[in-house]
Amino acid sequence: MKILIVDDERSIRNSLKEILEMEEYQVDTAENGADACEMAEKEKYDAIFCDIKMPGMDGTEVLQKLIADGVETPVVMISGHADIDTAVDCIKKGAFDFIGKPLDLNRILITIKNATDKANLVTQTKILKKKVYGQEMVGQSEGMRHIRDMIDKVAPTDASVLITGPNGSGKELVARSLHQLSQRSMMPYVEVNCAAIPSELIESELFGHEKGSFTSAIKQHKGKFEQADGGTLFLDEIGDMSLAAQAKVLRVLQERKISRVGSDKDITVNVRVVSATNKNLAEEIKKGTFREDLYHRLSVIVIKVPTLDERKDDIPLLINHFLDQICSETAMPRKEFSPEAIDMLVQKSWTGNIRELRNVVERLLILGSNPVSVKDIEDYVI
């Protein structure tokens, strides 16, 4: 582990360096704020101890510059003039901790351990976000940045989320990201496509059934709510659910209890519900095909996924992503796309959204020349 000590007093720098080196830490020192900022930008430190009262650039200015420059190393402020107001002010400005002089070795060692734990947690979170976002939620458009920001804020909570957007826009990726970045990420993630299940079977699918409760019920079956206990249940195409099933889902959300078909016994479940639809639920409520009270239960947070036509800047990135993905999955040789071909695809109207774009990329990989040309697009796409 590497530590940086910033203090204008040589005796304090050297004594603290000596103590920490005896504890087998690697230690660098800086006698002023400007040197410290330069060193912290070039070198990766596990913790920085910075005096507050220094000539030229003082400790709080060093702290603010490090934060502004994107240095994520935990900064511990030290001062011989320790008081509560100074400590609180440093913490508010982004310091990890505050230690008063004379310095206590045990306090320093505990602070280093805590700072390291925090840095490791930040690193793990970044790795997880890269896994969640990096390979699937591709794009740097304003719409995608907004969705990532929403996911970061909403995922740690248990709030119900309604994801809206057209078919093929990636609603299921948003749902999966919410689960993977939540505190429930180690628990089950269960998907249900409400449009794909016949209305007469939806209750059994969601709530389960007892053996003999109907003709084909040859054994007991746990429904999706039970399967997702402790985790996340994703109800895709919620707008296609029957009114009868809607009423039962509403009861579960209100009471956190289910009862299997053919049973009057209540089973307590702890499930976060994330739902998605390509329909305008406000219009469905007016038509009488969707319950307004259920809508309000489901839509504590609403995330609207933009159409591909609303995020055309992402199309070149998506093409490259799908090229990598398809070639990896199928072992097809990779083909490049000419700049003119990419421009032509950017100008195209994508009614099928991202799903359509992926299909087009795969078609051009199979049928197109290398590099893929405008003529290929005219022959096989337009």
Side-chain angles (χ1 to χ4, degrees):
M1 286 187 59
K2 202 161 191 180
I3 310 295
L4 175 62
I5 299 166
V6 189
D7 200 304
D8 61 314
E9 294 185 45
R10 179 183 297 174
S11 59
I12 292 178
R13 288 198 312 271
N14 292 342
S15 60
L16 188 51
K17 175 180 168 66
E18 207 172 293
I19 291 169
L20 291 177
E21 285 180 338
M22 288 176 64
E23 297 292 327
E24 300 187 347
Y25 291 106
Q26 295 180 44
V27 183
D28 288 341
T29 62
E31 64 180 349
N32 59 65
D35 288 349
C37 291
E38 187 176 342
M39 292 169 72
E41 287 180 19
K42 291 179 179 178
E43 192 73 40
K44 170 64 178 171
Y45 292 101
D46 295 286
I48 297 173
F49 286 83
C50 184
D51 189 26
I52 292 180
K53 300 292 184 182
M54 294 188 296
M57 180 184 287
D58 67 23
T60 55
E61 291 174 322
V62 172
L63 173 66
Q64 289 173 318
K65 184 169 190 334
L66 291 175
I67 292 172
D69 290 344
V71 176
E72 296 179 345
T73 305
V75 180
V76 180
M77 309 304 294
I78 55 180
S79 175
H81 309 280
D83 61 68
I84 294 295
D85 290 340
T86 305
V88 169
D89 183 57
C90 288
I91 300 299
K92 281 183 177 178
K93 288 177 178 175
F96 174 75
D97 204 350
F98 180 94
I99 300 178
K101 296 177 182 177
L103 301 174
D104 176 79
L105 175 60
N106 287 332
R107 174 71 191 280
I108 290 170
L109 294 178
I110 289 170
T111 300
I112 291 174
K113 182 182 182 305
N114 291 340
T116 305
D117 289 346
K118 180 197 173 187
N120 289 339
L121 186 60
V122 169
T123 301
Q124 290 170 10
T125 301
K126 282 186 170 181
I127 292 171
L128 178 58
K129 285 183 179 180
K130 188 174 181 180
K131 286 181 180 177
V132 173
Y133 296 144
Q135 298 302 315
E136 294 188 329
M137 295 189 66
V138 177
Q140 296 300 325
S141 62
E142 184 179 345
M144 290 306 295
R145 288 197 298 268
H146 176 68
I147 286 179
R148 288 192 183 97
D149 184 54
M150 288 279 285
I151 291 171
D152 287 344
K153 291 177 180 176
V154 175
T157 74
D158 270 343
S160 297
V161 180
L162 176 64
I163 307 166
T164 65
N167 287 333
S169 58
K171 299 186 291 297
E172 65 279 4
L173 298 184
V174 175
R176 198 175 297 121
S177 299
L178 286 166
H179 174 72
Q180 290 176 325
L181 292 173
S182 75
Q183 296 175 356
R184 298 173 178 263
S185 59
M186 301 304 292
M187 300 303 285
Y189 172 77
V190 178
E191 295 186 32
V192 181
N193 188 329
C194 300
I197 302 171
S199 57
E200 63 271 16
L201 296 179
I202 187 73
E203 291 182 34
S204 171
E205 192 68 19
L206 290 176
F207 312 117
H209 61 253
E210 297 293 345
K211 180 180 178 180
S213 56
F214 50 87
T215 305
S216 59
I218 57 175
K219 62 180 181 179
Q220 185 190 75
H221 168 68
K222 286 186 177 182
K224 300 299 187 183
F225 271 95
E226 277 188 88
Q227 294 173 30
D229 191 28
T232 304
L233 179 64
F234 176 44
L235 298 175
D236 198 9
E237 304 302 349
I238 188 75
D240 291 296
M241 184 180 286
S242 69
L243 286 169
Q246 288 178 37
K248 294 203 171 186
V249 169
L250 178 63
R251 175 180 176 268
V252 177
L253 295 179
Q254 290 172 333
E255 301 177 11
R256 300 288 174 182
K257 294 177 181 178
I258 64 161
S259 57
R260 296 180 189 142
V261 175
S263 171
D264 56 3
K265 179 184 175 182
D266 284 337
I267 301 170
T268 301
V269 291
N270 173 16
V271 173
R272 181 190 194 176
V273 173
V274 176
S275 53
T277 182
N278 62 352
K279 293 186 175 181
N280 184 332
L281 292 188
E283 291 298 322
E284 298 301 315
I285 291 168
K286 288 179 183 178
K287 293 177 189 175
T289 58
F290 200 85
R291 296 181 62 111
E292 185 173 8
D293 46 4
L294 177 59
Y295 172 78
H296 291 304
R297 282 278 178 179
L298 295 173
S299 61
V300 175
I301 304 291
V302 177
I303 298 179
K304 182 183 180 298
V305 181
T307 66
L308 187 54
D309 286 343
E310 292 172 330
R311 44 178 293 218
K312 284 182 176 290
D313 289 350
D314 291 333
I315 289 176
L317 293 173
L318 286 162
I319 290 171
N320 191 60
H321 168 71
F322 289 139
L323 283 171
D324 290 340
Q325 188 181 72
I326 295 165
C327 291
S328 174
E329 291 173 359
T330 64
M332 277 194 291
R334 183 186 172 97
K335 293 178 181 176
E336 299 305 321
F337 280 56
S338 71
E340 296 78 13
I342 291 176
D343 287 343
M344 196 169 187
L345 291 175
V346 169
Q347 297 305 317
K348 181 185 180 303
S349 176
W350 296 95
T351 55
N353 295 290
I354 295 170
R355 190 176 297 142
E356 181 188 3
L357 176 59
R358 190 190 190 282
N359 291 343
V360 164
V361 171
E362 185 169 8
R363 188 185 314 150
L364 291 168
L365 262 176
I366 297 169
L367 301 175
S369 55
N370 191 13
V372 173
S373 66
V374 168
K375 186 175 187 309
D376 292 322
I377 295 174
E378 290 172 343
D379 288 346
Y380 305 121
V381 180
I382 304 300

